Amino acid sequence: MAQSTVKQKIQWIENGGITSPKGFQAGGLHCGLRKQKLDLGWVYSDVPGNAAGVYTTNLFQAAPLKVTQDSLNQEQKLQGIVINSAIANACTGEQGLLDAYEMRKVFSEKIGIPQHYAAVASTGLIGEMLPMDKIKGGIAEIGEPEHDGADKFETAILTTDTKEKAVAVKVWIDEKEITIGGAAKGSGMIHPNMATMLSFVTTDAQVEANALSTALKRITNKSFNMITVDGDTSTNDMVLVLANGKAENSILSEEHPEWETFYEGLATVCELLAKEIARDGEGATKLITVKVTGAVSDEAASAISKAIISSNLVKTAIHGSDANWGRIITAIGYSGQPLDPNKVGVSLGTIPVVENGLPVTFSEDEAKEYLLQDEVVLCVTFQDGVGEATAWGCDLSYDYVKINASYRT
Amino acid sequence: MAQSTVKQKIQWIENGGITSPKGFQAGGLHCGLRKQKLDLGWVYSDVPGNAAGVYTTNLFQAAPLKVTQDSLNQEQKLQGIVINSAIANACTGEQGLLDAYEMRKVFSEKIGIPQHYAAVASTGLIGEMLPMDKIKGGIAEIGEPEHDGADKFETAILTTDTKEKAVAVKVWIDEKEITIGGAAKGSGMIHPNMATMLSFVTTDAQVEANALSTALKRITNKSFNMITVDGDTSTNDMVLVLANGKAENSILSEEHPEWETFYEGLATVCELLAKEIARDGEGATKLITVKVTGAVSDEAASAISKAIISSNLVKTAIHGSDANWGRIITAIGYSGQPLDPNKVGVSLGTIPVVENGLPVTFSEDEAKEYLLQDEVVLCVTFQDGVGEATAWGCDLSYDYVKINASYRT
């Protein structure tokens, strides 16, 4: 089946989110880690489900990630996830690890599941200990109706984000309606390979655990690992997916005739969340998409697109709506990939500015008008092969500096 | 001889620069590429001398670099260098290359030297053709006394720089006084591996050409390649050194008993120029030095120091004088180097903030006071080996965004 046909079968759910799939509940509350904003969130399923995770590559991996991996390593199943914002529980040593295990224990007891069916996540400041009394106080309130709601969950997991990030889609498999939903946070310390980003995906599909894990890794490489805000890869970030099977489809794996439909549904949710994170980058005013085609390989295309989307000079030029394509060429040139510089083409949207490695005449006014929009696409073409990739990021603004010059104080 | 003893023999020359060594003249003028500022500079020696160069690694290497390499490849000698600012002559194809050759020809005829004794350099906007009539008009005025002076040269090579960068030192070899001077430009698109940076070093020492070339490469790796402003490696940058022999010392090479004295003199000039470039990074208010010791190798130390100095989050935290050491730890963690996270130490100047991978209590006021200074040193220690490296950079400010959001327009 052609990919475009599959994509047509994916139906977007208006105002959908992490509890759109059957059998999931979520909530959030203020437990006192932040001054006023919600700072503790949770999501859980009526029944345990197959689950998979992808984790930061940062060497200083935070304690909650270790505990979550410990949970998943036992049966590849999860039933609930608890998350706090404000404090990352990273660089907190043995005590930090004990705290993350304690957080898992208290949460799993509260919702009545085995400890290894619970995952924990944290995001925020590095190097501070979690105030466990506040965390425990918050967990004790789970179940009280005033804290229920996917919207509260989406808010509680944010740090410097300016808006909630949630999405859900539907597909039909075995004549069953299958829903995939998700919520994410992350607007700074974001870069390919899992940055300060947390993303939680739920589905009521029944999916074989190893197939789910393989799919999540492949999809993450084309979605969450293709966004950058500032080039920093954080200590804390992860993507978790939980499939509780309540849609009662026949179990999905690569052999299932409708596997591709599920895969594209999951990919759509992850890509939409990733783009929302890029769009809400710290201080961002624009979503920038970089599309590379004709590279020697997908890997080369990926490296080139990331070099462009990571360039402070490209990001500031786009912020100023300045058609300074020389900076795009410069980033291509230092990407370290094999390419023929005399065959490169660059377009701003549909406006060609470079062809065969040389400038072409274009209307500055038209380019400016295009770059003033809040979504900008930079297209780079090579004639070196069939490799292609897309990366997402945002412009670099005064507000990025403002937010980050005083995050802690 | 211990390095410290050698360093004690290096004498700094107040207000020294590119014409401090015997037999060099320099100048600069306004030829019309920029509105008012000087935009054409030159330096030449009474006699040809051994010379060496290091060039950008960017695949889109600009035309003047190709021409300069062509000159040096013939006899490893130079006698004069001509530089324009405002237009980079990069991504200008066959015509750009012809223009760079023409610029070399007109300059060498004007000062009466063979063409292959002349080097050319350009810096500025990518993708525009050099207005050759203006360049030629400017070159025709070389020799008129009102354009003479190292200060004019230092000014003419600047782009967004806010100040001139020049330095000179003296050493004694064979009882002869030997002088090494230099001038540099560069404040944006600067990153390890030769960024938008031009650096010219002159000396009256007599030095064997291959020894000079080897020394320049080694020294560049520890000076110009250890600075970053924004992570971008430009198409145009190079370092050239010209040794005219007028000090009449016996010819220097690695076998000469005083080789190390000359080497350290040259290294001192390059390091001082590199630091000046970092300090004058676009929008910078502070010079940041990152010192890494105890890494598994010098290469690992170098990669770690560059990861830290390149982090937008570290740079904004220092801009805000915020002791946010978690961002330093994060950069160490994604540097990709082998290290024991439980043995890392971090100090802000002499204030320890992390020991054995865990936070230590420190006075926020004291740290703030330290970080408010205009020179900040971040020290990172490991217990993995004897590898060490130092990198230099600057903070990331509102003005960086302002300068780069509207560089072209």
Side-chain angles (χ1 to χ4, degrees), chain A residues 18-164:
Chain A
I18 197 154
T19 55
S20 297
K22 294 182 199 76
F24 286 95
Q25 294 178 63
L29 55 73
H30 176 252
C31 78
L33 306 179
R34 309 181 71 178
K35 276 179 201 152
Q36 297 200 310
K37 292 183 183 168
L38 305 194
D39 50 22
L40 189 79
W42 57 87
V43 55
Y44 57 88
S45 163
D46 297 351
V47 293
N50 288 338
V54 182
Y55 311 92
T56 186
T57 55
N58 195 301
L59 269 183
F60 293 88
Q61 197 182 62
L65 279 74
K66 297 188 173 113
V67 172
T68 296
Q69 286 172 86
D70 183 15
S71 286
L72 268 169
N73 284 344
Q74 299 199 34
E75 294 183 46
Q76 295 188 66
K77 278 188 199 299
L78 286 179
Q79 191 168 356
I81 310 169
V82 61
I83 303 103
N84 74 277
S85 54
I87 294 176
N89 194 7
C91 293
T92 46
E94 189 61 32
Q95 186 57 47
L97 194 60
L98 293 172
D99 288 347
Y101 273 113
E102 179 72 5
M103 187 169 162
R104 181 179 78 160
K105 177 167 175 283
V106 175
F107 172 68
S108 57
E109 283 170 356
K110 176 70 192 174
I111 64 168
I113 62 172
Q115 288 189 43
H116 68 276
Y117 283 180
V120 289
S122 299
T123 176
L125 193 58
I126 294 171
E128 294 220 349
M129 291 295 167
L130 281 180
M132 289 305 293
D133 51 337
K134 292 180 179 172
I135 297 278
K136 288 182 193 174
I139 291 172
E141 290 183 42
I142 293 178
E144 294 178 14
E146 73 265 31
H147 302 314
D148 283 353
D151 56 332
K152 293 205 175 67
F153 173 84
E154 291 155 17
T155 305
I157 64 177
L158 306 182
T159 54
T160 52
D161 308 59
T162 66
K163 49 196 166 201
E164 292 73 29

Side-chain angles (χ1 to χ4, degrees), chain A residues 203-247:
Chain A
T203 178
D204 45 26
Q206 189 165 208
V207 193
E208 192 263 315
N210 288 333
L212 188 63
S213 178
T214 305
L216 183 67
K217 283 195 187 82
R218 278 182 55 200
I219 289 169
T220 296
N221 279 334
K222 300 222 166 199
S223 55
F224 300 112
N225 285 349
M226 291 305 286
I227 59 174
T228 189
V229 168
D230 52 22
D232 275 43
T233 303
S234 140
T235 50
N236 277 59
D237 303 333
M238 65 177 150
V239 179
L240 293 175
V241 56
L242 203 174
N244 71 3
K246 293 205 104 180

Side-chain angles (χ1 to χ4, degrees), chain A residues 266-309:
Chain A
L266 185 61
T268 300
V269 166
C270 291
E271 185 178 311
L272 287 170
L273 289 175
K275 283 169 74 171
E276 285 309 300
I277 293 170
R279 188 196 303 275
D280 193 25
E282 285 174 344
T285 69
K286 298 174 199 213
L287 174 68
I288 306 175
T289 302
V290 176
K291 288 189 183 190
V292 173
T293 55
V296 289
S297 64
D298 285 356
E299 291 68 30
S302 173
I304 293 163
S305 64
K306 285 182 187 178
I308 298 168
I309 204 77

